[in-house]
């Protein structure tokens, strides 16, 4: 909100290079003040524990000639000052904005602004950003922005460490003292930055000093540093803050408590699930897709393109490449833009809403126990939910998880069993004409496989599981504009990343089809498909397409089911197999990028094996117990 | 601690085991050795290991003689000007420092003594506590990792077993009733990575925490901050109900 005030309305949301963290930028709207404003993610600490924190720290480390606007929650000054203290330590020109002054007041907190100004020697602006109160003081304060005169001493051992590291450090936009503290705290994320600037012997020397000082603190030096900072802040707060704290039982807090309640919380969860389904499934998949596919593409764009191509290009093969059954326009683009885009778009809207309202962390609280079974914790719910939108994007967000083990397990489960929205849409479309028992069995089998594989992976994969510590921000009604901006930037990402792959996939299919390779592949895979899975031989091509995108494969089965080529039992076998099948090729590439070649191949191998195994088992079970669905 | 000025002004009654001759404090040889071992340990924590600094920091007028005797007993060796513990001296010093800091913790947290009082008592008790009593105190306090000054407490055999037969006044956060508040006395975790996120949220000794819910996950509240955490983390945060 303060960002909006500073820049007016125009802003660019982009992912920080190499991350999924979104950073907004915009030009300051005051002409006398020719600066670009960067909106970095919120942080708890500048010794990074999360990707958000790392991005913010990296921005501080890589930009030059800048000012920092530090927005503090006035009712939670202690934590805000923990960041402020670190910014001051970095020797940066900082402006402190005490936001939500009204809420602080209603909680009985009196804040002595003068004392803050005196203690830190920094400009302080008291504000209520939602009502734009106090923000008019911001531009004048930005214009002359002094550095703080405040400094404080750590205990001897830490000061000793700082003193011995200082002469070894390269110049940086932030003070050597703050760099030394990061190193003492054992900040591994700083290493690449240092390696760029220092030679190996110097790095080794730094390493030696750090480990020497770290050894003295069995409970971790970074913790000690934080404690000393907080103790200093608590001391300062005596001067800055007064008044008896009144607990305010507002609606926001009460709703927040209900949303994680052990009974009411589940009702909430079901309600959220139902509303999301109505929104994405009915509004997105039914109405929007129907309109885009049948009316826009089927009725206008494709017939027009087909006529145009046939009229302009005389070669049959090129015509087919563009508008044939495996054509770039008729298959790839229609599919990407008419079928999937509306669903993904609606999904991102819902996801953005959950994100901004503060509900996602609550979902993590509710599901923590289930994820514990799989050697994970509640935080894994975020990539898993996002996986229901797009597995590729979700695989990238596994970076929010702390340990390598957690990342591998979630990547595996995403690849194995979390169907993305596109695939879900096809699956639900396909199931609509069949008995509800198929849906129920399908869901039960997939959930069972995810749990079982997660459990086994948790046991088999070596390494530590991360512990679950998660802040629950207050629930609030999100700003629709922010959600829209976020959704648009994600859709842009989808168009850039996914659409080229659709085209590539279609090209591969086209070549396989035209060269006759498809036919020989079908012949080769026939025993597996026909004897083991008990499916008609024609379904082989769906599996081959499934290698490129699972939802493509599902769409193949959809077409077969519509033609009446599959019995209900076969529908279940086909769906189980294709849901568990390797995800799209884009996801495969992202797994390579995030986890390396070897792990990507292992994961794919495991996934294909489990998919075929489960398909066969389901077929065998249905036949043995002569169940007809 | 040897450098404590209070000790020189103490009365004979307060310092049992210390004999006084003409107002000057005299201690037994064993105590002098203990004090020097402790001092060497403390200086080493600050990265100081040379003999001169040691002599400057001690109040013991017979320090040189005592040090010679200690060397004769094989407690430490000299490498040029640098003092180096031998195995025997190291483990003796470790024991003394452990007893001193555990006592500080006990007296300050539990009996709410002032820092000076606790320091003085700790200086006496560090010489007399038996290993069994030391481990009981350690278990009673929940195997604290640091003394009230934030200096590390060397671990004893009890810490490795993590025994807790005593019924403590200080108990895990998880034992609070829902809605009850407790002041964090210390956090005793074997998983280092947990401490930093906790402290980033402001969870450090001295702070008051309210337990909000147990299921499906533990949720605690500190001021305006709500945090969800694993049951296993709550077990490692020790609080005194307020
Ligand atoms: Zn102490
Ligand atoms: Zn112990």
């Amino acid at each position: 909100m303060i960002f909006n005030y500073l820049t007016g309305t125009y802003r660019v949301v982009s992912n920080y290079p190499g991350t999924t963290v979104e950073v907004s930028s915009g030009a300051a709207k005051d002409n006398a003040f020719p600066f670009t404003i960067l909106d970095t993610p919120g942080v708890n600490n500048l010794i990074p524990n999360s990707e958000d924190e790392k991005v913010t720290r990296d921005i501080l480390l890589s930009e030059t000639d800048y000012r920092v606007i530090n927005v503090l929650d006035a009712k939670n000054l202690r934590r805000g000052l923990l960041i402020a203290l670190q910014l001051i330590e970095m020797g940066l020109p900082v402006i402190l904005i005490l936001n939500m002054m009204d809420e602080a007041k209603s909680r009985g907190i009196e804040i002595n602004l003068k004392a803050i100004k005196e203690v830190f020697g920094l400009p302080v602006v008291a504000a209520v950003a939602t009502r734009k109160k106090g923000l008019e003081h911001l531009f004048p304060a930005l214009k002359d922005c002094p550095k703080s005169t405040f400094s404080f001493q750590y205990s001897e051992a830490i000061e000793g460490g700082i003193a011995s590291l200082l002469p070894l450090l390269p110049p940086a936009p932030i003070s050597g003292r703050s760099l030394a503290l990061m190193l003492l705290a054992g900040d591994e994320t700083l290493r690449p930055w240092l390696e760029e600037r220092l030679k190996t012997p110097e790095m080794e020397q730094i390493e030696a000093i750090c480990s020497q000082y770290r050894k003295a603190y069995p409970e971790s030096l970074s913790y000690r540093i934080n404690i000393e900072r907080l103790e200093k802040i608590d001391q300062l707060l005596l001067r800055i803050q007064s008044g008896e704290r009144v607990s305010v039982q507002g609606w926001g807090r009460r709703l927040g408590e209900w949303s994680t309640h052990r009974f009411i919380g589940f009702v909430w969860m079901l309600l959220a699930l139902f509303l999301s389904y109505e929104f994405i499934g009915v509004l997105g998949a039914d109405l929007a897709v129907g309109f885009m596919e049948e009316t826009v593409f089927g009725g206008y764009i494709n017939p027009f393109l087909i006529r145009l191509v046939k009229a302009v290009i005389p070669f049959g093969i090129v015509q087919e490449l563009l508008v044939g059954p495996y054509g770039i326009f008729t298959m790839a683009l229609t599919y990407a833009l008419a079928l999937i885009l509306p669903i993904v778009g609606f999904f991102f809207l819902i996801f953005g809403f959950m994100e901004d309202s503060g509900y996602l962390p609550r979902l993590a609280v509710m599901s923590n126990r289930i994820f514990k079974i799989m050697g994970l914790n509640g935080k894994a719910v975020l990539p898993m939910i996002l996986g229901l939108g797009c597995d590729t994007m979700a695989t990238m967000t596994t970076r929010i998880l702390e340990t390598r083990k957690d990342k591998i397990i979630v990547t595996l489960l995403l690849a194995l069993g979390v169907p993305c929205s596109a695939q879900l849409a096809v699956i639900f479309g396909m199931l609509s004409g069949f008995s509800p028992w198929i849906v129920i069995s399908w869901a039960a089998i997939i959930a069972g496989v995810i749990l079982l594989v997660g459990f086994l992976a948790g046991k088999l994969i070596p390494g530590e599981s991360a512990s679950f510590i998660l802040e629950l921000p207050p629930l609030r009604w999100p700003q629709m504009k922010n959600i829209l901006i976020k959704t648009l930037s994600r859709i842009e990402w989808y168009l850039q990343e996914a659409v080229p792959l659709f085209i590539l996939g279609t090209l591969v299919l086209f070549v396989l089809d035209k060269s006759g390779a498809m036919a020989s592949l079908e012949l080769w895979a026939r025993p597996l498909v026909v004897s083991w899975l008990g499916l008609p031989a024609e379904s082989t091509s769906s599996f081959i397409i499934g290698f490129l995108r699972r939802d493509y494969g599902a769409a193949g089965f959809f077409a077969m089911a519509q033609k009446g080529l599959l019995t209900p039992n076969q529908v279940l076998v086909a769906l189980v197999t294709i849901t568990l099948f390797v995800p799209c090729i884009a996801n495969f590439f992202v797994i390579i990028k995030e986890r390396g070649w070897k792990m990507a191949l292992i994961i794919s191998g495991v996934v294909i094996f489990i998919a075929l195994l489960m398909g066969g088992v389901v077929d065998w079970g249905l036949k043995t117990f002569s169940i007809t669905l | 601690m040897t450098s404590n000025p209070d000790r020189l002004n103490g009365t004979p009654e307060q310092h049992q085991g210390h004999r006084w001759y003409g107002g000057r404090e005299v201690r037994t040889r064993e105590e002098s050795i203990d004090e020097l071992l402790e001092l060497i340990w403390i200086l080493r924590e600050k990265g100081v290991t040379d003999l001169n600094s040691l002599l400057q920091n001690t109040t013991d007028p017979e320090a040189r003689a005592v040090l010679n005797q200690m060397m004769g007993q094989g407690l430490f060796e000299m490498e040029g000007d640098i003092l180096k513990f031998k195995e025997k001296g190291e483990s003796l010093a470790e024991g003394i420092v452990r007893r001193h800091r555990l006592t500080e913790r006990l007296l300050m947290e539990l009996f709410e003594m002032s820092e000076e009082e606790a320091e003085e008592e700790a200086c006496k008790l560090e010489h007399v506590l038996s290993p069994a009593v030391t481990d009981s105190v350690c278990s009673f306090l929940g195997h604290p990792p640091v003394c009230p000054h934030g200096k590390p407490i060397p671990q004893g055999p009890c810490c490795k077993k993590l025994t807790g037969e005593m019924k403590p006044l200080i108990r895990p956060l998880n034992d609070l009733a829902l809605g009850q508040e407790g002041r964090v006395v210390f956090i005793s975790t074997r998983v280092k990575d947990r401490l930093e996120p906790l402290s980033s949220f402001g969870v450090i000794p001295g702070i008051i925490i309210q337990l909000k819910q147990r299921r499906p996950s533990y949720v605690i509240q500190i001021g305006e901050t709500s945090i969800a955490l694993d049951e296993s983390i709550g077990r490692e945060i020790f609080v005194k109900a307020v």
Side-chain angles (χ1 to χ4, degrees):
Chain A
M1 265 172 272
I2 290 169
F3 177 82
N4 286 345
Y5 176 84
L6 286 170
T7 57
T9 46
Y10 182 73
R11 69 154 100 177
V12 184
V13 183
S14 56
N15 286 346
Y16 191 73
T19 69
T20 53
V21 178
E22 282 152 353
V23 178
S24 308
S25 62
K29 69 174 177 193
D30 188 332
N31 289 333
F33 186 74
F35 272 88
T36 301
I37 317 272
L38 278 183
D39 185 15
T40 66
V43 296
N44 292 315
N45 203 325
L46 287 168
I47 298 168
N49 279 317
S50 70
E51 204 181 21
D52 281 3
E53 288 170 352
K54 182 174 170 343
V55 165
T56 302
R57 203 273 322 272
D58 285 349
I59 289 175
L60 291 174
L61 207 53
S62 58
E63 299 289 326
T64 48
D65 187 26
Y66 57 88
R67 283 130 202 224
V68 183
I69 302 174
N70 184 193
V71 184
L72 296 85
D73 178 351
K75 60 182 189 298
N76 208 343
L77 213 48
R78 187 164 177 260
R79 282 180 58 198
L81 287 178
L82 182 62
I83 305 294
L85 205 66
Q86 294 179 61
L87 289 168
I88 290 168
E89 216 160 48
M90 289 176 172
L92 299 169
V94 182
I95 295 170
L96 300 175
I97 299 185
L98 299 189
N99 193 15
M100 301 193 241
M101 284 297 275
D102 51 341
E103 291 182 22
K105 199 165 257 167
S106 70
R107 280 164 176 73
I109 305 168
E110 300 278 336
I111 295 169
N112 185 346
L113 290 174
K114 228 177 111 221
I116 303 183
K117 270 180 215 168
E118 278 168 18
V119 168
F120 296 112
L122 291 175
V124 181
V125 177
V128 181
T130 41
R131 282 185 265 135
K132 300 217 164 80
K133 250 175 81 182
L135 292 180
E136 65 276 8
H137 301 297
L138 195 48
F139 272 115
L142 270 171
K143 267 163 202 153
D144 91 294
C145 193
K147 289 184 185 177
S148 174
T149 48
F150 177 81
S151 75
F152 103 97
Q153 294 285 309
Y154 291 88
S155 58
E156 287 165 71
I158 297 172
E159 285 296 334
I162 297 171
S164 44
L165 282 174
L166 268 182
L168 294 166
L169 296 172
I174 63 174
S175 74
R177 190 177 163 79
S178 63
L179 278 178
L181 279 163
M182 286 176 192
L183 285 168
L184 284 174
D187 181 0
E188 278 298 314
T189 59
L190 203 56
R191 182 185 279 273
W193 183 88
L194 271 181
E195 271 168 357
E196 259 173 49
R197 288 163 180 80
L198 293 177
K199 295 186 195 74
T200 325
E202 287 165 314
M203 286 295 292
E204 279 165 4
Q205 225 176 320
I206 289 177
E207 203 54 30
I209 294 173
C210 288
S211 65
Q212 178 204 328
Y213 278 91
R214 253 177 254 148
K215 244 190 284 167
Y217 287 93
E219 50 157 4
S220 113
L221 189 50
S222 59
Y223 176 57
R224 193 68 228 156
I225 292 174
N226 270 346
I227 286 193
E228 289 187 15
R229 283 176 180 154
L230 282 167
E231 277 170 354
K232 182 74 200 174
I233 290 165
D234 286 338
Q235 206 182 321
L236 292 174
L237 279 177
L238 290 178
R239 252 185 92 188
I240 293 171
Q241 196 172 286
S242 60
E244 198 61 30
R245 190 177 277 272
V246 215
S247 167
V248 176
Q249 272 299 358
W251 271 104
R253 178 177 281 187
R254 205 165 301 159
L255 287 179
E257 279 173 15
W258 285 349
S259 68
T260 56
H261 187 272
R262 60 181 158 144
F263 303 125
I264 306 171
F266 282 104
V267 178
W268 267 68
M269 217 159 92
L270 289 177
L271 192 71
L273 206 69
F274 173 74
L275 289 178
S276 311
Y277 173 76
E278 284 293 309
F279 191 71
I280 302 168
V282 177
L283 218 60
D286 272 4
L287 292 174
V289 170
F291 173 73
M292 289 289 281
E293 197 187 14
E294 276 151 37
T295 315
V296 179
F297 274 79
Y300 297 97
I301 298 183
N302 282 348
F304 168 76
L305 281 173
I306 292 171
R307 259 181 290 133
L308 184 76
V309 167
K310 294 220 161 126
V312 176
I313 303 167
F315 312 103
I317 185 110
V318 181
Q319 282 180 6
E320 264 196 66
L321 174 66
L322 293 175
V323 296
Y326 294 120
I328 288 172
F329 290 124
T330 39
M331 189 173 188
L333 288 180
T334 307
Y335 198 70
L337 301 178
L339 216 90
I340 300 188
L341 180 64
I343 302 170
V344 171
F346 276 84
F347 177 86
F348 286 152
L349 274 176
I350 282 281
F351 191 78
F353 185 86
M354 288 204 197
E355 210 178 11
D356 282 15
S357 62
Y359 186 63
L360 275 181
R362 270 131 181 127
L363 219 47
V365 171
M366 298 307 292
S367 58
N368 189 32
R369 274 173 196 240
I370 292 173
F371 282 103
K372 283 278 159 186
I373 300 173
M374 300 184 269
L376 297 166
N377 69 53
K379 278 187 207 173
V381 82
L382 288 120
M384 295 290 251
I385 293 264
L386 192 55
L388 290 173
C390 172
D391 281 315
T392 309
M393 197 180 232
T395 303
M396 280 177 76
T397 54
T398 54
R399 285 189 213 149
I400 63 163
L401 304 173
E402 282 122 22
T403 68
R404 179 173 167 272
K405 181 179 177 178
D406 287 22
K407 289 175 192 169
I408 294 175
I409 298 178
V410 173
T411 307
L412 172 67
L413 295 181
L414 282 170
L416 178 69
V418 179
C420 67
S421 51
Q423 198 191 0
L424 273 176
V426 180
I427 289 172
F428 282 123
M430 181 168 169
L431 287 171
S432 57
F434 291 94
S435 125
W437 283 110
I438 296 186
V439 191
I440 295 168
S441 329
W442 168 79
I445 292 169
I446 301 297
V449 169
I450 290 183
L451 272 177
L452 184 68
V453 172
F455 174 76
L456 291 176
K459 289 271 176 278
L460 293 176
I461 297 172
E464 280 290 326
S465 291
S467 36
F468 179 59
I469 307 174
L470 191 63
E471 181 174 11
L472 304 177
L475 277 189
R476 61 174 149 250
W477 191 254
Q479 279 199 304
M480 292 304 152
K481 199 170 130 200
N482 280 354
I483 296 178
L484 274 178
I485 290 171
K486 253 189 218 183
T487 304
L488 285 177
S489 97
R490 284 176 180 156
I491 286 179
E492 195 188 316
W493 179 89
Y494 164 79
L495 292 176
Q496 279 173 4
E497 298 288 316
V499 173
L501 278 161
F502 278 115
I503 295 174
L504 179 73
T506 312
L507 277 175
V508 171
L509 282 181
F510 180 78
V511 172
L512 283 177
D513 186 45
K514 285 286 152 211
S515 64
M518 186 80 95
S520 42
L521 269 174
E522 271 175 31
L523 212 62
W524 179 78
R526 181 175 291 234
L528 201 62
V529 173
V530 177
S531 323
W532 174 244
L533 295 175
L535 294 174
E538 294 90 323
S539 36
T540 315
S541 66
S542 297
F543 282 115
I544 293 168
I545 308 170
F547 270 106
L548 294 165
R549 280 195 70 97
R550 276 199 295 220
D551 45 332
Y552 255 33
F557 285 116
F558 186 35
M560 287 175 68
Q562 273 182 326
K563 285 182 211 148
L565 292 172
L566 296 172
T567 67
N569 281 9
Q570 285 176 327
V571 167
L572 181 63
V573 174
L575 279 185
V576 166
T577 316
I578 201 72
T579 307
L580 295 175
F581 215 55
V582 277
C584 64
I585 206 147
N587 192 0
F588 182 68
F589 287 137
V590 170
I591 298 177
I592 295 174
K593 202 173 126 210
E594 296 286 317
R595 305 257 67 83
W597 263 105
K598 227 176 91 192
M599 193 51 75
L601 286 175
I602 293 175
I603 288 178
S604 306
V606 169
V607 166
I608 292 175
F609 175 75
I610 295 174
L612 292 175
L613 180 74
M614 279 314 294
V617 167
V618 170
D619 180 52
W620 174 85
L622 290 171
K623 277 185 186 141
T624 312
F625 301 103
S626 13
I627 302 164
T628 321
L629 289 160
Chain B
M1 235 196 272
T2 7
S3 52
N4 186 358
D6 273 0
R7 140 158 299 178
L8 296 173
N9 310 324
T11 61
E13 293 82 43
Q14 279 176 331
H15 284 252
Q16 289 146 13
H18 297 235
R19 281 163 286 144
W20 283 70
Y21 292 105
R24 192 165 73 86
E25 182 192 19
V26 173
R27 34 193 155 191
T28 63
R29 239 327 135 82
E30 294 83 75
E31 280 177 8
S32 299
I33 291 176
D34 280 1
E35 293 292 338
L36 279 168
L37 283 171
E38 188 185 8
L39 183 59
I40 297 173
W41 180 284
I42 290 165
L43 288 176
R44 192 179 63 175
E45 280 180 337
K46 295 179 189 164
V48 179
T49 50
D50 62 296
L51 183 62
N52 277 335
S53 314
L54 176 72
L55 291 172
Q56 272 164 26
N57 276 291
T58 175
T59 53
D60 189 342
E62 290 159 29
R64 268 179 197 283
V66 183
L67 283 171
N68 272 331
Q69 188 190 340
M70 286 162 73
M71 196 133 77
Q73 290 173 355
L75 296 181
F76 65 86
E77 58 194 350
M78 297 296 300
E79 264 173 27
D81 196 29
I82 302 297
L83 260 142
K84 253 196 159 162
F85 273 133
K86 285 186 162 180
E87 210 176 304
K88 195 170 149 202
E90 174 99 31
S91 76
L92 278 177
E94 189 176 12
I96 297 159
V97 172
R98 173 169 158 79
R99 290 195 289 277
H100 181 102
R101 291 181 181 168
L102 276 173
T103 321
E104 277 182 341
R105 214 99 240 158
L106 180 75
L107 299 179
M108 278 172 76
E109 306 297 5
L110 219 57
F111 304 148
E112 285 167 356
M113 283 190 182
S114 74
E115 206 173 315
E116 296 85 63
E117 281 177 306
E119 177 72 40
E120 193 174 334
E121 291 300 318
C123 279
K124 286 188 261 168
L125 287 169
E126 71 190 29
H127 308 293
V128 295
L129 282 187
S130 73
V133 174
T134 310
D135 284 358
S136 302
V137 170
C138 189
S139 309
F140 178 67
L141 292 172
H143 313 281
V146 287
C147 81
H149 309 96
K151 295 193 171 164
I153 299 176
Q155 293 192 349
C158 63
C159 309
K160 276 144 208 159
K161 281 185 281 171
L162 274 179
T163 52
E165 295 108 20
M166 313 277 275
K167 180 79 190 140
L169 278 172
I170 293 170
R171 53 204 172 134
L173 173 72
N174 291 358
D175 292 356
L176 287 179
L178 284 186
Q180 200 185 5
E181 292 192 327
R183 183 184 296 279
V184 177
V185 179
F186 53 85
I187 301 168
S188 161
T189 174
R190 305 273 157 248
V191 188
K192 281 188 187 182
D193 294 345
R194 283 180 181 172
L195 287 166
E196 211 183 302
L198 278 176
S199 59
S200 296
F201 291 131
V203 183
I204 58 165
I207 208 73
I208 290 181
I209 288 184
Q210 191 187 19
L211 183 63
K212 297 295 279 188
Q213 81 174 50
R214 281 204 168 82
R215 280 159 189 281
S217 299
Y218 277 77
V219 175
I220 57 172
Q221 182 147 354
I222 310 145
E224 294 293 322
T225 308
S226 296
I227 299 166
L229 35 80
D230 274 334
E231 191 243 348
S232 64
I233 302 174
R235 236 187 287 131
E236 295 173 336
I237 300 175
F238 286 79
V239 297
K240 200 170 143 190
V242 290

